[in-house]
Amino acid sequence: MGVVDLDGRVRQAAQGLLRNQSVQARPWFQAGLRGPYTADPHEAVLLAKMLPANAGGEPLRFIDFAAPIVDGDGRVIGVLGAHAHWNWVTGIVESAVVRSGSSPDIEVLIVNEDGRILYPERLAGQQQTRLPVHAENRPGWSADDDYLSSLALVPPPPDTDLSWYIAVRQPLASALQPARVLLYKLLALGALGACLFTAVAYYLARNLSRPIEQLARAAQQVQIHHTGVSFPQHQPVLEIAQLSQSMQTMTDSLLGKERELEDANALLEATVAQRTAALTQANAELLQLATHDALTGVHNRGRLDEKLVECTLLLKRTQQGFALLLIDADHFKSINDTHGHATGDEVLVRLAQLLRRLTRATDFVARYGGEEFAVVVPHSEGEQGPQVLAQKICDGIAATHFDVVGRVTVSIGVALAHASDPDAAALIRRADAQLYLAKQSGRNRVSFAE
């Protein structure tokens, strides 16, 4: 027992133990400042070094008690603490519970509210989950797989929520020995009856149930389309054997027809896939032939007319303007006459390649006819884009070297579409007129209708 000041330092203690040492971090001191405190037993490492060890080498265990020391004005000026040796408690329990002449296999336990064993020492610290420590402690006994037990709550000290339970238990085998002897006798009679029943059931299962189960399993395999299903033919019952043989014959026939049908379906699917791929390829080729020029690869005259109609309708609906560039190769007849038509075709192919390279992704390039090409150029009002693009095309072609021929130039006529145009033909006539002016002005130039 000792007195501790508010700073947690021991001022006075029995036999001078722990005097002048700090116990500020101890839970009992912290709780004692607030009110009376009692704790579960625990090992006291500091005290164990100052006290003689228990016989048998068991650790010293104590119960902490603490209470605030209050002056005349009601202020807390310290804590009164006490550490009671656990053997003092266990001695009281043993003298009160254990009686001479009791059965040697009866065991007494002290358990806290969390189910942790406090006594005896050999089980201290273990968690006992089978004792109903949170249940209502009514008189009587309870049993689990190992023990027949009775539980009683120790009245807790005032002003504390500490709860201990005294549990008395006896091995279930000892407590229920008379009942077990009777049980063994009943089990022997039951086993004899079970053996007789098993023999009869085995006979029926072997000759009736098992063959039918085998047929049912084989039928399920057929249902989920497994191949190689075999029905057992050797059966102890003649009727079941005949049924199994009939089902085997029917299954073989059905599976054979199913395989033939699957092969036919696979062949049909492969043929359909081939024909579909060929048709898709043919449609793509037809579309290419229908919309592109066979020689140069750019769009043909028919697709150009469709594009002009689309752009004209868009202009009337959204005021999205566009321009038409008509491009004609200068002195192309001289190229055919001098180098032949094959060289002339090569020049046209090269011109188409240059046009696709010199135009933008939004521009539409087409062969208008013969040595003439057309470019549909979208633009905004006031924008000089079509004229700039035409000059870029004219300069780019003039700067390119053509095999065999050498230098080739083009003349370009540029015209803007008007919302008042009745159709695309009006735009084509204006662009064609500008192309004529470009050629009359000396070729290798751009003529733009303001």
Side-chain angles (χ1 to χ4, degrees), residues 24-202:
Q24 186 178 18
R26 297 293 188 269
W28 62 267
F29 171 73
Q30 301 288 342
L33 290 173
R34 298 188 295 270
Y37 171 75
T38 305
D40 280 338
H42 62 90
E43 295 185 21
V45 179
L46 199 56
L47 282 176
K49 296 178 180 179
M50 302 179 180
L51 297 176
N54 283 341
E58 295 180 354
L60 295 176
R61 304 173 73 213
F62 297 88
I63 302 176
D64 294 335
F65 300 93
I69 301 174
V70 183
D71 62 7
D73 296 330
R75 296 177 299 178
V76 177
I77 60 175
V79 174
L80 176 64
H83 304 290
H85 199 290
W86 180 237
N87 287 344
W88 168 67
V89 178
T90 58
I92 295 175
V93 173
E94 290 176 353
S95 63
V97 177
V98 179
R99 297 286 186 267
S100 59
S102 60
S103 176
D105 57 0
I106 293 179
E107 187 176 18
V108 179
L109 304 176
I110 300 178
V111 185
N112 67 5
E113 62 180 349
D114 296 328
R116 185 166 57 88
I117 297 178
L118 306 177
Y119 170 84
E121 288 293 338
R122 61 185 178 82
L123 301 178
Q126 294 184 11
Q127 195 73 23
Q128 183 57 255
T129 58
R130 295 186 178 182
L131 294 174
V133 296
H134 295 292
E136 297 180 1
N137 297 286
R138 298 175 180 176
W141 295 79
S142 61
D144 56 22
D145 295 339
D146 300 317
Y147 292 95
L148 183 65
S149 307
S150 181
L151 192 71
L153 175 67
V154 177
D159 301 325
T160 179
D161 56 356
L162 187 68
S163 297
W164 290 353
Y165 297 84
I166 301 295
V168 179
R169 68 182 186 182
Q170 183 180 14
L172 196 61
S174 300
L176 300 181
Q177 182 64 26
R180 184 163 288 122
V181 172
L182 178 60
L183 176 63
Y184 289 154
K185 292 180 180 179
L186 294 176
L187 288 177
L189 292 176
L192 181 61
C195 290
L196 180 61
F197 176 78
T198 301
V200 175
Y202 176 77

Side-chain angles (χ1 to χ4, degrees), residues 172-406:
L172 196 61
S174 300
L176 300 181
Q177 182 64 26
R180 184 163 288 122
V181 172
L182 178 60
L183 176 63
Y184 289 154
K185 292 180 180 179
L186 294 176
L187 288 177
L189 292 176
L192 181 61
C195 290
L196 180 61
F197 176 78
T198 301
V200 175
Y202 176 77
Y203 174 80
L204 294 176
R206 181 178 180 182
N207 292 276
L208 293 177
S209 299
R210 186 178 299 174
I212 295 176
E213 291 176 358
Q214 292 174 348
L215 291 178
R217 283 195 296 269
Q220 290 175 352
Q221 296 297 315
V222 174
Q223 183 181 4
I224 60 178
H225 303 284
H226 276 198
T227 59
V229 179
S230 177
F231 290 86
Q233 302 298 316
H234 302 286
Q235 302 291 354
V237 179
L238 178 60
E239 290 78 4
I240 297 178
Q242 292 175 346
L243 176 61
S244 178
Q245 183 178 3
S246 299
M247 293 180 69
Q248 183 69 59
T249 302
M250 180 180 63
T251 300
D252 293 341
S253 177
L254 290 176
L255 290 179
K257 293 181 179 179
E258 184 176 358
R259 282 191 294 270
E260 293 176 359
L261 182 59
E262 290 176 353
D263 294 340
N265 286 338
L267 180 60
L268 179 60
E269 290 176 358
T271 303
V272 170
Q274 293 176 356
R275 298 294 173 81
T276 302
L279 181 59
T280 302
Q281 179 65 25
N283 287 336
E285 294 174 356
L286 287 174
L287 180 62
Q288 180 72 15
L289 292 174
T291 59
H292 289 73
D293 180 60
L295 175 63
T296 61
V298 298
H299 294 94
N300 58 20
R301 175 62 183 273
R303 182 67 185 99
L304 173 64
D305 292 340
E306 294 176 357
K307 183 66 175 180
L308 290 174
V309 172
E310 294 172 4
C311 292
T312 301
L313 294 176
L314 185 63
L315 172 62
K316 295 180 183 298
R317 186 170 63 252
T318 66
Q319 304 303 314
Q320 176 61 51
F322 69 99
L324 175 64
L325 280 61
L326 284 182
I327 305 167
D328 185 78
D330 296 331
H331 305 295
F332 187 75
K333 184 177 183 304
S334 176
I335 294 175
N336 281 334
D337 294 341
T338 304
H339 303 284
H341 289 279
T343 301
D345 290 345
E346 293 176 2
V347 171
L348 293 177
V349 172
R350 181 66 172 147
L351 284 175
Q353 293 173 351
L354 289 173
L355 287 175
R356 283 187 290 194
R357 182 169 62 84
L358 295 172
T359 54
R360 303 163 299 184
T362 55
D363 299 332
F364 182 89
V365 180
R367 185 180 180 188
Y368 189 69
E371 69 274 15
E372 291 187 22
F373 293 87
V375 180
V376 180
V377 182
H379 77 97
S380 301
E381 184 177 355
E383 183 184 357
Q384 296 298 318
Q387 187 177 2
V388 174
L389 177 62
Q391 191 61 52
K392 176 183 175 183
I393 294 172
C394 186
D395 295 341
I397 293 176
T400 302
H401 175 77
F402 288 75
D403 295 338
V404 180
V405 178

